[in-house]
Amino acid sequence: MQRCFLYFYILILSFVGSDIKNLQIINYYNTCVLIVFLSIVFMTLNAVQFYNRKTDCIFIGRPELFLFIFLFWSAATFFFSVIPEVTIFPAIKCLGAIAFGLGLILYLEKKEQLIQLWLVSYIFSGIHSSLLVIQGFFPLFLPENIRIESSPVLQFFTNANYFSCYLLLHIPIGVYLYFRTPKSYSKFLIGLGWITTLVALGLSDSQAALMIACIQILVSVAYFLSQKKPKRATSVTLGAIAAYLIYFYLMNLTTDTNDLSLSTIINAPGAKIITSPFNESNWVEQHIGIRLWYWLGAWKMFCEHWLLGNGLWTYNDLYPYTGLLKISGDPYNILPPHAHNLYLQTAAETGLIGILLLSFCLLLLFKNNIKILINKKRWNLDLNFFLLISAIGFLIHNISESNWLNSLFVYYFVLITLSIGYLYRKNSFEPFSFLTFRKKYFLPIYLFFVIVACFPVVSFYKYNQIIINPEISLQTQAQFEDKLNQAISLCESCWRPRYLFGLAKINRYQKTKRIELLNEAQKHLSEALARNPYSPKITMLQGNIYILQNKNKEAIHSFEMAKKHPWYRSQALKKIKSL
């Protein structure tokens, strides 16, 4: 039962949690709750199975322990986040990743379980790649009224970098599975999936991912040569060449077809063409220079909140206040969703404590892995090596991206870390290199975690059912305020219900002209601003209310606060000048 549920979990994670456009059957927040719920169920099933086993101990390596502590600390940044409502979403993801990791530790007993798990994941990634290739090269068969993106990947995934990073995780795994599979038919399908994955990676148009894939392939070839297996090295090389030739042939074959389909769709009624906001002629500035700009913003945030950090996912809200966001000048006037660097963003959002915990995890992980690779007589050396290459590819890719809490990657990094940790425990002759927990101590830890995780998950789900419900604005005034009070009781640190309360009071004032409603609106907006001091729309709204109340001094102060955001500076200055 645990195995079937785990495969179902990977299916949901791959197809629902990976931001595929046409498969987002539920909204983004509910998707997060669903995956966290499945993680807790998976952990519970394996906890029950663990108590039915004869074994009395559970083993956890130090890298896994530091990873769990880092994830728990990341979730705890909610309590001192500068904008708690923003942080609660990634915090819940971290709790789900911990539950998934604990479930894996309890689940993995044999190496076949680990290999089958990665085989299932590899099959799903092959399906992703195949669908992209098919969908990307048959535009004539698509409906006329359609959005044509600048990249085929963007017609399938919401972000090309998510897709390319997802494929990088499976390229080394595909090499291992191909040479491990004895049956010719299965070997053919795995090899075909590997070639398709490389072709799809080319379609992603991610230069960093392509460079990392080339490095992974070269390292795999060098590994087989060092193991005196030249036939395997030759097979990997030929597979990569075949993938390149197929990609090159298809790109040339479809040039005229794409031009024809584009002209057909442009002339179709209701068609919309999406193009890149960047000028391709200045690639260095728009891809490298702008990232240096974003990294500098993360460094400034780290210097301001260097110990505890400013809270998960607050980078986007704080970046305008670093002085780096320009009012004009492409691409420096684009507000970045993240720092495009996992390590700098981790330092900025979780502080020195968080980045040290992550660093200890990675250092111990590589230290343990290298120990196994040095001793070539250890068990299952190939799987250990290719998992390491997969992890390194992910970490290198995140020097220029921040695919951690976006999409499914935090769960996959937990999977990679625990897979490597499991192999190390099986290979290690040093009992002191990992921690031992007896069965009687694990039950209270499990119950404590379930309680700690379930309470915020349930509250978060109920809160978003109220806030993001489009029917909330169609209710009567009494029903609307009752719903907002429920939202406040579910999330005391959230600013949005109080902001909506303020808007409701202003709307009532516009109808009745009762001055006390303005005072109530100011009270709610002040409470919202205390929970989100980086929202210029709150301070602008407060300033407008102060003008109605003939409080020009307070209005100027509010507009001065809004002026700190570059996009509101001009508007705020006009208000100040008029006063």
Side-chain angles (χ1 to χ4, degrees), residues 94-139:
C94 290
L95 294 177
I98 295 174
F100 175 56
L102 291 175
L104 277 177
I105 289 177
L106 297 173
Y107 172 78
L108 293 175
E109 289 186 278
K110 302 175 182 178
K111 68 174 183 179
E112 290 300 322
Q113 292 176 311
L114 182 61
I115 295 171
Q116 288 296 323
L117 172 59
W118 279 105
L119 176 62
V120 170
S121 180
Y122 179 77
I123 290 172
F124 293 151
S125 72
I127 294 173
H128 282 316
S129 303
S130 301
L131 290 175
L132 175 66
V133 172
I134 294 171
Q135 181 260 1
F137 290 106
F138 290 93

CSV table of all heavy atoms in Angstrom, one decimal, residues 94-139:
chain,number,residue,atom,x,y,z
A,94,CYS,N,7.4,23.9,3.2
A,94,CYS,CA,8.6,23.3,4.0
A,94,CYS,C,8.1,22.2,4.9
A,94,CYS,O,8.8,21.2,5.1
A,94,CYS,CB,9.3,24.4,4.7
A,94,CYS,SG,10.2,25.6,3.7
A,95,LEU,N,7.0,22.5,5.6
A,95,LEU,CA,6.5,21.4,6.5
A,95,LEU,C,6.1,20.2,5.7
A,95,LEU,O,6.3,19.1,6.2
A,95,LEU,CB,5.2,22.0,7.2
A,95,LEU,CG,5.5,23.1,8.2
A,95,LEU,CD1,4.2,23.6,8.9
A,95,LEU,CD2,6.5,22.7,9.3
A,96,GLY,N,5.5,20.4,4.5
A,96,GLY,CA,5.2,19.2,3.7
A,96,GLY,C,6.4,18.5,3.2
A,96,GLY,O,6.4,17.2,3.2
A,97,ALA,N,7.5,19.2,2.9
A,97,ALA,CA,8.7,18.5,2.5
A,97,ALA,C,9.3,17.7,3.7
A,97,ALA,O,9.9,16.6,3.5
A,97,ALA,CB,9.7,19.6,2.1
A,98,ILE,N,9.2,18.2,4.9
A,98,ILE,CA,9.7,17.5,6.1
A,98,ILE,C,8.9,16.2,6.3
A,98,ILE,O,9.4,15.1,6.5
A,98,ILE,CB,9.6,18.3,7.4
A,98,ILE,CG1,10.5,19.5,7.3
A,98,ILE,CG2,9.9,17.5,8.6
A,98,ILE,CD1,10.4,20.5,8.4
A,99,ALA,N,7.5,16.3,6.1
A,99,ALA,CA,6.7,15.1,6.2
A,99,ALA,C,7.0,14.1,5.2
A,99,ALA,O,7.1,12.9,5.4
A,99,ALA,CB,5.2,15.5,6.1
A,100,PHE,N,7.3,14.5,4.0
A,100,PHE,CA,7.6,13.6,2.9
A,100,PHE,C,9.0,13.0,3.2
A,100,PHE,O,9.2,11.7,3.0
A,100,PHE,CB,7.7,14.4,1.6
A,100,PHE,CG,8.2,13.6,0.4
A,100,PHE,CD1,7.6,12.5,0.0
A,100,PHE,CD2,9.3,14.1,-0.3
A,100,PHE,CE1,8.0,11.7,-1.1
A,100,PHE,CE2,9.8,13.3,-1.4
A,100,PHE,CZ,9.2,12.2,-1.8
A,101,GLY,N,9.9,13.7,3.7
A,101,GLY,CA,11.2,13.2,4.0
A,101,GLY,C,11.2,12.1,5.1
A,101,GLY,O,11.8,11.1,5.0
A,102,LEU,N,10.4,12.4,6.2
A,102,LEU,CA,10.3,11.4,7.3
A,102,LEU,C,9.6,10.2,6.8
A,102,LEU,O,9.9,9.1,7.2
A,102,LEU,CB,9.5,12.1,8.4
A,102,LEU,CG,10.1,13.2,9.2
A,102,LEU,CD1,9.2,13.8,10.2
A,102,LEU,CD2,11.4,12.7,9.9
A,103,GLY,N,8.6,10.3,5.9
A,103,GLY,CA,8.0,9.2,5.3
A,103,GLY,C,8.9,8.3,4.5
A,103,GLY,O,8.9,7.1,4.5
A,104,LEU,N,9.8,9.0,3.7
A,104,LEU,CA,10.8,8.2,2.9
A,104,LEU,C,11.8,7.5,3.8
A,104,LEU,O,12.2,6.3,3.5
A,104,LEU,CB,11.6,9.2,2.0
A,104,LEU,CG,10.9,9.6,0.7
A,104,LEU,CD1,11.8,10.6,0.0
A,104,LEU,CD2,10.7,8.4,-0.2
A,105,ILE,N,12.2,8.1,4.9
A,105,ILE,CA,13.1,7.4,5.8
A,105,ILE,C,12.5,6.1,6.4
A,105,ILE,O,13.1,5.1,6.5
A,105,ILE,CB,13.6,8.4,7.0
A,105,ILE,CG1,14.5,9.4,6.4
A,105,ILE,CG2,14.2,7.6,8.1
A,105,ILE,CD1,14.9,10.5,7.4
A,106,LEU,N,11.2,6.2,6.7
A,106,LEU,CA,10.5,5.0,7.2
A,106,LEU,C,10.2,4.0,6.1
A,106,LEU,O,10.1,2.8,6.4
A,106,LEU,CB,9.2,5.5,7.9
A,106,LEU,CG,9.3,6.4,9.1
A,106,LEU,CD1,7.9,6.9,9.5
A,106,LEU,CD2,10.0,5.7,10.2
A,107,TYR,N,10.1,4.5,4.9
A,107,TYR,CA,9.7,3.6,3.8
A,107,TYR,C,10.9,2.8,3.3
A,107,TYR,O,10.8,1.6,3.0
A,107,TYR,CB,9.1,4.5,2.7
A,107,TYR,CG,8.9,3.7,1.4
A,107,TYR,CD1,7.8,2.9,1.2
A,107,TYR,CD2,9.7,3.9,0.3
A,107,TYR,CE1,7.5,2.2,0.1
A,107,TYR,CE2,9.5,3.2,-0.9
A,107,TYR,CZ,8.4,2.4,-1.0
A,107,TYR,OH,8.2,1.7,-2.2
A,108,LEU,N,12.1,3.4,3.1
A,108,LEU,CA,13.2,2.8,2.4
A,108,LEU,C,13.8,1.7,3.3
A,108,LEU,O,14.4,2.0,4.3
A,108,LEU,CB,14.2,3.9,2.0
A,108,LEU,CG,13.8,4.8,0.9
A,108,LEU,CD1,14.9,5.9,0.7
A,108,LEU,CD2,13.5,4.1,-0.4
A,109,GLU,N,13.7,0.5,2.8
A,109,GLU,CA,14.3,-0.6,3.5
A,109,GLU,C,15.3,-1.4,2.6
A,109,GLU,O,16.3,-1.9,3.0
A,109,GLU,CB,13.3,-1.6,4.0
A,109,GLU,CG,12.4,-1.2,5.1
A,109,GLU,CD,11.5,-2.3,5.6
A,109,GLU,OE1,10.5,-2.5,5.0
A,109,GLU,OE2,11.9,-3.0,6.6
A,110,LYS,N,15.0,-1.4,1.3
A,110,LYS,CA,15.8,-2.1,0.3
A,110,LYS,C,16.1,-1.2,-0.9
A,110,LYS,O,15.4,-0.3,-1.2
A,110,LYS,CB,15.0,-3.3,-0.2
A,110,LYS,CG,14.6,-4.3,0.8
A,110,LYS,CD,13.7,-5.4,0.3
A,110,LYS,CE,13.2,-6.4,1.4
A,110,LYS,NZ,12.3,-7.4,0.8
A,111,LYS,N,17.2,-1.5,-1.5
A,111,LYS,CA,17.7,-0.7,-2.6
A,111,LYS,C,16.7,-0.7,-3.8
A,111,LYS,O,16.6,0.2,-4.6
A,111,LYS,CB,19.1,-1.1,-3.1
A,111,LYS,CG,19.1,-2.5,-3.8
A,111,LYS,CD,20.5,-2.8,-4.3
A,111,LYS,CE,20.5,-4.1,-5.1
A,111,LYS,NZ,21.8,-4.4,-5.6
A,112,GLU,N,16.0,-1.8,-4.0
A,112,GLU,CA,15.0,-2.0,-5.1
A,112,GLU,C,13.9,-0.9,-4.9
A,112,GLU,O,13.3,-0.4,-5.9
A,112,GLU,CB,14.4,-3.4,-5.1
A,112,GLU,CG,15.4,-4.4,-5.6
A,112,GLU,CD,16.0,-4.1,-7.0
A,112,GLU,OE1,15.2,-3.7,-7.8
A,112,GLU,OE2,17.1,-4.4,-7.2
A,113,GLN,N,13.5,-0.6,-3.7
A,113,GLN,CA,12.5,0.4,-3.5
A,113,GLN,C,12.9,1.7,-4.0
A,113,GLN,O,12.2,2.5,-4.6
A,113,GLN,CB,12.2,0.5,-2.0
A,113,GLN,CG,11.5,-0.7,-1.4
A,113,GLN,CD,11.3,-0.6,0.1
A,113,GLN,OE1,12.2,-0.2,0.9
A,113,GLN,NE2,10.1,-0.8,0.6
A,114,LEU,N,14.2,2.1,-3.7
A,114,LEU,CA,14.8,3.3,-4.2
A,114,LEU,C,14.9,3.4,-5.7
A,114,LEU,O,14.5,4.4,-6.3
A,114,LEU,CB,16.1,3.5,-3.5
A,114,LEU,CG,16.8,4.9,-3.8
A,114,LEU,CD1,16.0,6.0,-3.3
A,114,LEU,CD2,18.2,4.9,-3.2
A,115,ILE,N,15.3,2.3,-6.3
A,115,ILE,CA,15.4,2.3,-7.7
A,115,ILE,C,14.1,2.4,-8.4
A,115,ILE,O,13.9,3.1,-9.4
A,115,ILE,CB,16.2,1.0,-8.2
A,115,ILE,CG1,17.6,1.0,-7.6
A,115,ILE,CG2,16.2,0.9,-9.7
A,115,ILE,CD1,18.4,-0.3,-7.8
A,116,GLN,N,13.1,1.6,-7.9
A,116,GLN,CA,11.8,1.7,-8.5
A,116,GLN,C,11.2,3.1,-8.3
A,116,GLN,O,10.5,3.6,-9.2
A,116,GLN,CB,10.9,0.7,-7.8
A,116,GLN,CG,11.2,-0.8,-8.2
A,116,GLN,CD,10.9,-1.1,-9.6
A,116,GLN,OE1,10.0,-0.6,-10.2
A,116,GLN,NE2,11.8,-1.9,-10.2
A,117,LEU,N,11.4,3.7,-7.2
A,117,LEU,CA,10.9,5.1,-7.0
A,117,LEU,C,11.5,6.0,-8.1
A,117,LEU,O,10.7,6.8,-8.7
A,117,LEU,CB,11.3,5.6,-5.6
A,117,LEU,CG,11.0,7.0,-5.3
A,117,LEU,CD1,9.5,7.4,-5.5
A,117,LEU,CD2,11.5,7.4,-3.9
A,118,TRP,N,12.8,6.0,-8.4
A,118,TRP,CA,13.4,6.9,-9.4
A,118,TRP,C,12.9,6.5,-10.8
A,118,TRP,O,12.9,7.3,-11.7
A,118,TRP,CB,14.9,6.9,-9.2
A,118,TRP,CG,15.3,7.8,-8.1
A,118,TRP,CD1,15.8,7.4,-6.9
A,118,TRP,CD2,15.3,9.2,-8.2
A,118,TRP,NE1,16.1,8.6,-6.2
A,118,TRP,CE2,15.9,9.7,-7.0
A,118,TRP,CE3,15.0,10.1,-9.2
A,118,TRP,CZ2,16.0,11.0,-6.7
A,118,TRP,CZ3,15.1,11.5,-8.9
A,118,TRP,CH2,15.6,11.9,-7.6
A,119,LEU,N,12.7,5.2,-11.0
A,119,LEU,CA,12.2,4.8,-12.3
A,119,LEU,C,10.8,5.4,-12.6
A,119,LEU,O,10.6,5.9,-13.7
A,119,LEU,CB,12.1,3.2,-12.4
A,119,LEU,CG,11.5,2.6,-13.6
A,119,LEU,CD1,12.3,3.0,-14.9
A,119,LEU,CD2,11.4,1.1,-13.5
A,120,VAL,N,9.9,5.4,-11.6
A,120,VAL,CA,8.6,5.9,-11.8
A,120,VAL,C,8.7,7.4,-12.0
A,120,VAL,O,8.1,8.0,-12.9
A,120,VAL,CB,7.7,5.7,-10.5
A,120,VAL,CG1,6.5,6.5,-10.6
A,120,VAL,CG2,7.4,4.2,-10.4
A,121,SER,N,9.6,8.1,-11.3
A,121,SER,CA,9.8,9.5,-11.5
A,121,SER,C,10.3,9.8,-12.9
A,121,SER,O,9.9,10.8,-13.6
A,121,SER,CB,10.7,10.1,-10.4
A,121,SER,OG,10.9,11.5,-10.6
A,122,TYR,N,11.3,9.0,-13.3
A,122,TYR,CA,11.9,9.1,-14.7
A,122,TYR,C,10.8,8.9,-15.8
A,122,TYR,O,10.8,9.6,-16.8
A,122,TYR,CB,13.0,8.1,-14.8
A,122,TYR,CG,13.7,8.2,-16.2
A,122,TYR,CD1,14.6,9.2,-16.5
A,122,TYR,CD2,13.4,7.2,-17.1
A,122,TYR,CE1,15.2,9.3,-17.7
A,122,TYR,CE2,14.0,7.3,-18.4
A,122,TYR,CZ,14.9,8.3,-18.7
A,122,TYR,OH,15.5,8.4,-19.9
A,123,ILE,N,9.9,8.0,-15.6
A,123,ILE,CA,8.8,7.8,-16.5
A,123,ILE,C,8.0,9.0,-16.7
A,123,ILE,O,7.6,9.4,-17.8
A,123,ILE,CB,8.0,6.5,-16.1
A,123,ILE,CG1,8.8,5.3,-16.3
A,123,ILE,CG2,6.7,6.5,-17.0
A,123,ILE,CD1,8.1,4.0,-15.7
A,124,PHE,N,7.7,9.6,-15.6
A,124,PHE,CA,6.8,10.8,-15.6
A,124,PHE,C,7.6,12.0,-16.3
A,124,PHE,O,7.0,12.7,-17.1
A,124,PHE,CB,6.4,11.2,-14.2
A,124,PHE,CG,5.5,10.3,-13.6
A,124,PHE,CD1,5.4,10.1,-12.2
A,124,PHE,CD2,4.6,9.5,-14.3
A,124,PHE,CE1,4.6,9.2,-11.6
A,124,PHE,CE2,3.7,8.6,-13.7
A,124,PHE,CZ,3.7,8.4,-12.4
A,125,SER,N,8.8,12.1,-16.1
A,125,SER,CA,9.6,13.2,-16.7
A,125,SER,C,9.7,12.9,-18.2
A,125,SER,O,9.7,13.8,-19.0
A,125,SER,CB,11.0,13.3,-16.1
A,125,SER,OG,11.8,12.2,-16.5
A,126,GLY,N,9.8,11.6,-18.6
A,126,GLY,CA,9.8,11.3,-20.0
A,126,GLY,C,8.5,11.6,-20.7
A,126,GLY,O,8.4,12.0,-21.8
A,127,ILE,N,7.4,11.4,-19.9
A,127,ILE,CA,6.0,11.8,-20.5
A,127,ILE,C,6.0,13.3,-20.7
A,127,ILE,O,5.5,13.8,-21.7
A,127,ILE,CB,4.9,11.3,-19.5
A,127,ILE,CG1,4.9,9.8,-19.5
A,127,ILE,CG2,3.6,11.9,-19.9
A,127,ILE,CD1,3.9,9.2,-18.5
A,128,HIS,N,6.5,14.1,-19.7
A,128,HIS,CA,6.5,15.5,-19.9
A,128,HIS,C,7.3,15.9,-21.1
A,128,HIS,O,6.8,16.7,-21.9
A,128,HIS,CB,7.3,16.1,-18.7
A,128,HIS,CG,6.4,16.3,-17.4
A,128,HIS,ND1,5.1,16.7,-17.5
A,128,HIS,CD2,6.7,16.0,-16.1
A,128,HIS,CE1,4.6,16.7,-16.2
A,128,HIS,NE2,5.6,16.3,-15.4
A,129,SER,N,8.5,15.3,-21.3
A,129,SER,CA,9.3,15.6,-22.5
A,129,SER,C,8.6,15.3,-23.8
A,129,SER,O,8.6,16.1,-24.7
A,129,SER,CB,10.7,14.9,-22.3
A,129,SER,OG,11.3,15.2,-21.1
A,130,SER,N,8.0,14.1,-23.8
A,130,SER,CA,7.4,13.7,-25.0
A,130,SER,C,6.2,14.6,-25.4
A,130,SER,O,6.0,14.9,-26.6
A,130,SER,CB,6.9,12.2,-24.9
A,130,SER,OG,8.0,11.3,-24.6
A,131,LEU,N,5.4,14.9,-24.4
A,131,LEU,CA,4.3,15.8,-24.6
A,131,LEU,C,4.7,17.2,-25.2
A,131,LEU,O,4.1,17.8,-26.1
A,131,LEU,CB,3.4,16.0,-23.4
A,131,LEU,CG,2.6,14.8,-22.9
A,131,LEU,CD1,2.0,15.1,-21.6
A,131,LEU,CD2,1.6,14.4,-23.9
A,132,LEU,N,5.8,17.7,-24.6
A,132,LEU,CA,6.3,19.0,-25.1
A,132,LEU,C,6.8,18.9,-26.5
A,132,LEU,O,6.5,19.8,-27.3
A,132,LEU,CB,7.5,19.4,-24.2
A,132,LEU,CG,8.1,20.7,-24.6
A,132,LEU,CD1,7.2,21.9,-24.5
A,132,LEU,CD2,9.4,21.0,-23.9
A,133,VAL,N,7.5,17.8,-26.9
A,133,VAL,CA,8.0,17.7,-28.2
A,133,VAL,C,6.9,17.6,-29.2
A,133,VAL,O,6.8,18.2,-30.2
A,133,VAL,CB,9.0,16.4,-28.3
A,133,VAL,CG1,9.3,16.2,-29.8
A,133,VAL,CG2,10.2,16.7,-27.5
A,134,ILE,N,5.9,16.7,-28.9
A,134,ILE,CA,4.7,16.6,-29.7
A,134,ILE,C,4.0,17.9,-29.9
A,134,ILE,O,3.6,18.3,-31.0
A,134,ILE,CB,3.8,15.4,-29.2
A,134,ILE,CG1,4.5,14.1,-29.3
A,134,ILE,CG2,2.5,15.4,-30.0
A,134,ILE,CD1,3.8,13.0,-28.6
A,135,GLN,N,3.7,18.5,-28.7
A,135,GLN,CA,2.9,19.8,-28.7
A,135,GLN,C,3.7,20.9,-29.4
A,135,GLN,O,3.1,21.8,-30.0
A,135,GLN,CB,2.6,20.1,-27.3
A,135,GLN,CG,1.7,21.4,-27.2
A,135,GLN,CD,2.6,22.6,-26.8
A,135,GLN,OE1,3.8,22.5,-26.6
A,135,GLN,NE2,1.9,23.7,-26.6
A,136,GLY,N,5.0,20.9,-29.3
A,136,GLY,CA,5.8,22.0,-29.8
A,136,GLY,C,6.0,22.0,-31.3
A,136,GLY,O,6.2,23.0,-31.9
A,137,PHE,N,5.9,20.8,-31.9
A,137,PHE,CA,6.2,20.7,-33.3
A,137,PHE,C,5.0,20.4,-34.2
A,137,PHE,O,5.2,20.0,-35.3
A,137,PHE,CB,7.3,19.6,-33.5
A,137,PHE,CG,8.6,20.1,-33.0
A,137,PHE,CD1,9.2,19.6,-31.8
A,137,PHE,CD2,9.4,21.1,-33.7
A,137,PHE,CE1,10.4,20.0,-31.4
A,137,PHE,CE2,10.6,21.5,-33.2
A,137,PHE,CZ,11.1,21.0,-32.0
A,138,PHE,N,3.8,20.5,-33.7
A,138,PHE,CA,2.6,20.4,-34.5
A,138,PHE,C,1.7,21.5,-34.2
A,138,PHE,O,0.5,21.4,-33.9
A,138,PHE,CB,1.9,19.0,-34.1
A,138,PHE,CG,2.7,17.8,-34.6
A,138,PHE,CD1,3.6,17.2,-33.8
A,138,PHE,CD2,2.6,17.4,-35.9
A,138,PHE,CE1,4.3,16.1,-34.2
A,138,PHE,CE2,3.3,16.3,-36.3
A,138,PHE,CZ,4.2,15.6,-35.5
A,139,PRO,N,2.1,22.8,-34.5
A,139,PRO,CA,1.3,23.9,-34.2
A,139,PRO,C,0.1,24.0,-35.1
A,139,PRO,O,-0.9,24.7,-34.8
A,139,PRO,CB,2.2,25.1,-34.4
A,139,PRO,CG,3.3,24.6,-35.3
A,139,PRO,CD,3.5,23.2,-35.0
